[in-house]
Amino acid sequence: MLTLSDAVRAIPGVGSARAGHLEQLGVFTVDDLLRLLPRRYEDRRALTPIASLAAGATASFEARVVSSGAAITPRRGLRVFRAVFEDGSGRIAGLWFRFRAAHLQTLLRTGARVLVHGTVIVAAGRREILHPEIEPLAEGAERCAPLVRPVYPATAGLSQATLRAIVQRALEAVLPGLEDPLPPELRERHRLPGLAESLVALHDPGAGSPAQVPAPDGSIWRRRLVFEELFRMQLQLAIRRRRQESVRPRQTRPDGSGLLARLGERLPFALTAAQARVCREILADMGEPRPMQRLLQGDVGSGKTVVAALAILAAAAGGGQAALLAPTELLAEQHYLTFGRLAGALGLEPELLTGGVPRARRARVLAGLAAGRVPLVIGTHALLESNVRFSRLALAVVDEQHRFGVRQRLGLREKGEEPDLLVMTATPIPRSLALTLYGDLDLSTLDESPPGRRPVSTRVIGEAGRRAAWELLRSEVLQGRRAFVVCPLIEETGEDDPAAAVRMAARLQAHLPGVRVGLLHGRLPIEERSRAMERFR
């Protein structure tokens, strides 16, 4: 008897070769196989007389084998198996170019009654069927049960017939001992069928009544499997959250007393009501015995950086260290400059740790983190390396969290003992979806733009409008405004990003007399990048 956790090689008839083909479909276990749902279904219950078969049509018909054999060789090295079928209304030939002769000769013996399914083609003025599927029919018996066949995602080396056979063998072996992971009361509450019923209905629709053929894009049985998948994910999130919320003594206790007022005094602008509300939420969360687990979302320019600065200052005021993880060196350096201005005014000097930091400076930063002399470090994936150690990490901040995996996010947290976690995103996520995807995190939303923000006008122009766009850019810049041009990576030509940016900067300088054009890309030295950003700012 098979279990869902068994490897697919445990299924009868699945050797190493077929297991390798199944792995190409993401199937490694019996459970993976049974959740590989059909893309669509072929309804073979309606039969078409051979005389009525139209070119290009996919159809089923019942016939007898008039003749068969592998005697045709259209060209050297190519063997073709040919069988002729007759049903009283006419005749048609089936052709196989890749075949096992012994199997086809047994299946298509002269006089055998078969069900044929395939697509009709016309070659040299004759109708033929290439590689049709054949099902034997017993003499004198009614046609077999309703013939609805699942069609699975394809992969080289596995025919649909082989996949169906493997799935059927797995079903037969698993069903006797299959336990439903969803409790009966939960299924009843949501009116969901059982797991065994759903798997049989989806993989063997012919076993039910004709009215129960599943729709490819949605059915009660598919809904049941999707519900179970989401339920498992939510259960894992709930277990993780329960573990995270277990109260353990922490090395440091963040101190937020008076910070909001002190930060507001040093900012050149007033905090929005949304920023002040979210700041209070975060300070209250950081004051709890359990670690903070919070997702901060807000549009670009809504003020997430200021909120993160407050959390970092609270962690430092309590005697702890903070780390900010950014996905790129350029963004990390931009944060480094921003936090240098914000935190520096309160006596907190940040450090930068990226792949481009010189060796001597890197060694100094690593030593300072391990000894507790560095209260704030801003960096890229370099922060996740094993040689980065903290003396008392109290807060981990992850910017553009969608650019990082869950393990990377947790990897930064594990560098401290129960530190607070703040992850930020500018991707708008509906609250219901955010609670589903990030059920282990509390949610804060900056739903208010700072005063003075004007609506953004977005336009798409074709290649013919490029010169007009440059003229508009030149006109705006000469009036005292600023602009930037983003050069994407062009993989088709093998050009790298810096080369594309360098060429674009030279081209713009030539096309825009009187306009100073700067250049910024990830391969410039850190000092040069900092100067370029500062000049533009």
Side-chain angles (χ1 to χ4, degrees):
M1 185 174 65
L2 284 179
T3 66
L4 293 177
S5 59
D6 287 334
V8 285
R9 295 191 185 195
I11 302 172
V14 178
S16 57
R18 284 183 174 173
H21 295 317
L22 287 169
E23 287 176 5
Q24 299 300 312
L25 293 171
V27 172
F28 299 89
T29 66
V30 175
D31 187 62
D32 294 336
L33 177 68
L34 295 184
R35 292 177 191 275
L36 180 71
L37 301 184
R39 294 186 293 109
R40 58 186 176 86
Y41 296 88
E42 289 178 348
D43 192 344
R44 303 182 185 180
R45 291 170 295 181
L47 298 182
T48 303
I50 289 177
S52 302
L53 294 175
T58 299
S60 301
F61 60 89
E62 186 180 318
R64 289 193 179 274
V65 180
V66 176
S67 63
S68 66
I72 303 175
T73 308
R75 63 175 184 268
R76 188 175 181 180
L78 178 64
R79 296 173 64 240
V80 178
F81 192 96
R82 185 172 187 267
V84 178
F85 305 103
E86 183 180 59
D87 71 347
S89 72
R91 290 188 174 189
I92 193 169
L95 303 178
W96 290 262
F97 293 96
R98 297 178 298 278
F99 59 90
R100 289 183 294 143
H103 169 70
L104 286 178
Q105 285 170 349
T106 301
L107 188 65
L108 297 171
R109 66 187 185 281
T110 301
R113 181 170 170 248
V114 293
L115 183 72
V116 184
H117 179 84
T119 301
V120 181
I121 65 168
V122 175
R126 294 178 305 200
R127 293 177 305 160
E128 296 173 334
I129 299 184
L130 286 181
H131 300 279
E133 290 189 36
I134 306 296
E135 295 186 34
L137 298 176
E139 288 294 336
E142 291 288 334
R143 188 162 64 94
C144 38
L147 293 169
V148 179
R149 292 291 181 260
V151 179
Y152 294 95
T155 184
L158 284 178
S159 67
Q160 287 294 321
T162 300
L163 256 177
R164 290 184 198 120
I166 292 172
V167 170
Q168 287 304 310
R169 286 197 293 271
L171 268 179
E172 292 169 4
V174 163
L175 288 179
L178 186 64
E179 294 184 5
D180 199 317
L182 296 183
E185 59 272 15
L186 187 64
R187 298 200 307 269
E188 291 172 9
R189 188 190 316 158
H190 295 279
R191 299 179 181 177
L192 296 172
L195 179 58
E197 178 189 349
S198 299
L199 292 176
V200 170
L202 289 165
H203 291 293
D204 191 13
S209 66
Q212 286 188 318
V213 177
D217 56 347
S219 64
I220 185 63
W221 303 292
R222 284 177 182 264
R223 180 171 172 266
R224 188 257 188 254
L225 295 184
V226 171
F227 180 92
E228 181 186 331
E229 186 177 348
L230 290 172
F231 181 77
R232 287 176 182 271
M233 184 179 75
Q234 288 296 294
L235 197 58
Q236 290 170 348
L237 289 173
I239 292 171
R240 184 189 304 166
R241 186 180 184 104
R242 178 67 60 87
R243 288 173 180 165
Q244 291 167 347
E245 288 183 345
S246 58
V247 178
R248 298 187 183 97
R250 296 202 276 173
Q251 284 183 311
T252 62
R253 290 298 297 274
D255 182 9
S257 58
L259 268 181
L260 191 55
R262 288 169 55 200
L263 183 64
E265 291 171 359
R266 287 165 172 78
L267 290 175
F269 52 84
L271 292 176
T272 65
Q275 287 172 324
R277 169 177 48 79
V278 170
C279 283
R280 287 191 294 270
E281 291 174 354
I282 288 175
L283 289 177
D285 218 359
M286 293 177 72
E288 294 290 330
R290 59 164 179 77
M292 175 178 70
Q293 307 284 328
R294 189 165 287 275
L295 169 66
L296 173 61
Q297 69 170 8
D299 289 339
V300 174
S302 61
K304 295 186 296 295
T305 303
V306 171
V307 174
L310 178 84
I312 288 170
L313 291 172
Q321 295 170 295
L324 190 153
L325 179 63
T328 65
E329 285 197 13
L330 208 56
L331 184 56
E333 291 162 15
Q334 188 174 351
H335 280 316
Y336 174 67
L337 294 175
T338 302
F339 279 92
R341 291 191 297 270
L342 284 175
L346 294 172
L348 186 63
E349 294 298 330
E351 287 286 0
L352 181 67
L353 189 62
T354 66
V357 171
R359 184 175 299 178
R361 182 178 176 183
R362 178 183 178 84
R364 177 171 57 80
V365 173
L366 291 178
L369 289 172
R373 295 190 301 270
V374 174
L376 168 60
V377 63
I378 298 166
T380 55
H381 292 77
L383 289 176
L384 303 175
E385 295 176 4
S386 59
N387 62 346
V388 180
R389 299 181 179 88
F390 293 83
S391 171
R392 50 186 186 280
L393 181 64
L395 173 67
V397 181
V398 180
D399 193 15
E400 294 196 20
Q401 61 81 29
H402 58 280
R403 303 277 292 274
F404 297 98
V406 173
R407 290 181 182 175
Q408 292 170 317
R409 191 175 80 197
L410 297 179
L412 183 59
R413 279 197 73 234
E414 290 170 358
K415 290 183 176 289
E417 293 185 12
E418 306 301 325
D420 292 312
L421 175 67
L422 179 66
V423 297
M424 303 191 295
T425 180
T427 306
I429 308 172
R431 184 173 182 83
S432 57
L433 183 58
L435 293 174
T436 300
L437 295 176
Y438 305 104
D440 57 333
L441 303 174
D442 292 310
L443 181 64
S444 289
T445 303
L446 290 172
D447 51 8
E448 179 183 1
S449 296
R453 290 274 321 264
R454 291 185 296 178
V456 176
S457 173
T458 303
R459 301 180 188 178
V460 178
I461 62 169
E463 186 66 28
R466 181 183 291 265
R467 182 172 295 277
W470 295 152
E471 287 303 317
L472 174 63
L473 185 148
R474 181 171 184 270
S475 171
E476 294 291 329
V477 170
L478 291 179
Q479 293 180 52
R481 300 184 178 93
R482 289 166 297 170
F484 58 87
V485 176
V486 180
C487 299
L489 182 68
I490 306 173
E491 295 178 348
E492 291 79 6
T493 61
E495 297 175 352
D496 61 8
D497 204 20
V502 169
R503 280 193 293 273
M504 179 59 75
R507 191 180 309 160
L508 286 175
Q509 191 66 79
H511 285 321
L512 306 175
V515 173
R516 286 191 298 165
V517 178
L519 178 64
L520 178 65
H521 58 72
R523 295 188 184 178
L524 288 172
I526 292 176
E527 293 76 12
E528 192 170 338
R529 288 204 295 263
S530 298
R531 286 196 297 270
M533 287 191 288
E534 184 60 28
R535 285 196 299 267
F536 187 73
R537 189 184 70 84

